[in-house]
Amino acid sequence: MSRDLVYPVITIDGPTASGKGTVAHRVAKNLGFHYLDSGALYRLTALSAIEQGIALTDEAAVADLARALPCRFVKGHVYLGQIDVTDAVRAEAIGVAASKIAVLPAVRKALVELQVSFRQAPGLVADGRDMGTVIFPDAVQKIFLTASVAARANRRYKQLIEKGFPANMEDLVKDLSERDARDSARTEAPLKPAPGAYILDTSEITAEEAVYQILVLYAMASK
Ligand code: C5P
């Protein structure tokens, strides 16, 4: 059996600002698993393209960047080369740019190997849009985390303000809705629940409750 088939994976997919990052990170910590924030890879690719003056529509050039992305994740910090870009990648403009390059099939393909390489002992929690449908179709437990646009805009607003970024509620609702539409409508790996995924709506529950539910589901699935 190949190494990739041995280590268990929990996938947590869902729309932007559904709480995936916080929840996935805590589930991973609780189980002692590795954590893959796949959105960060799309964000890093977009940031790198912008810094190098490459058009976000230049599929071949952006895919080349993605294939050789000099990224490192160290103790909650994200590095592009030697530069700590932890805060820079979280900017709303970079999220929007990420969703633009994410529609390009060559870019998605260029990031597959890197994502799969995160599957290491003793297991992995992977969050994104296509973790359960495309990257880890054999995941032990697949979750589709969702929440209303209002709840998600509210959360994103708080996150941005906390990080010292400017934020405007009206713009955020517009950005989130446009990003949802782009992520769901694209032909390549569109945002949709994987077959068999457990749909968890977090509009009315806390991150702790979501984490607890996922841990219970995982415990049942791995029996
Ligand atoms: O999850 P996050 O908001 O950081 O992702 C940024 C963008 O990257 C998303 O809007 C989506 O377009 C893209 N993405 C993707 N597939 C993933 C993760 C993120 O297309 N697995």
Side-chain angles (χ1 to χ4, degrees), residues 13 16-17 20 37-40 42-43 90 94-95 98-100 102 108 115 127-131 156 179 183 186 189:
D13 289 307
T16 196
K20 293 185 311 289
D37 170 8
S38 62
Y42 287 90
R43 288 169 179 268
R90 300 316 312 172
I94 298 301
S99 81
K100 289 185 179 163
R108 304 199 70 83
Q115 294 175 88
D127 98 46
R129 305 292 186 288
D130 60 344
M131 297 295 97
R156 181 51 54 86
R179 216 140 37 108
D183 288 350
R186 69 182 177 220

Side-chain angles (χ1 to χ4, degrees), residues 120-209:
Q120 289 177 17
L124 174 71
V125 178
D127 98 46
R129 305 292 186 288
D130 60 344
M131 297 295 97
T133 50
V134 178
I135 307 295
F136 302 109
D138 63 333
V140 180
Q141 181 63 57
K142 299 178 184 182
I143 306 288
F144 192 80
L145 210 66
T146 184
S148 65
V149 172
R152 291 188 285 130
N154 213 2
R155 279 182 203 153
R156 181 51 54 86
Y157 181 86
K158 283 188 194 150
Q159 277 172 1
L160 289 169
I161 296 292
E162 261 168 33
K163 289 193 187 325
F165 286 118
N168 171 294
M169 213 38 188
E170 229 170 88
D171 291 348
L172 278 175
V173 169
K174 187 167 162 280
D175 271 5
L176 291 188
S177 307
E178 282 175 7
R179 216 140 37 108
D180 285 354
R182 202 157 35 231
D183 288 350
S184 308
R186 69 182 177 220
T187 43
E188 198 77 14
L191 170 67
K192 62 169 186 208
Y198 182 87
I199 316 269
L200 187 52
D201 189 320
T202 64
S203 308
E204 308 284 335
I205 63 170
T206 62
E208 285 73 25
E209 285 169 310

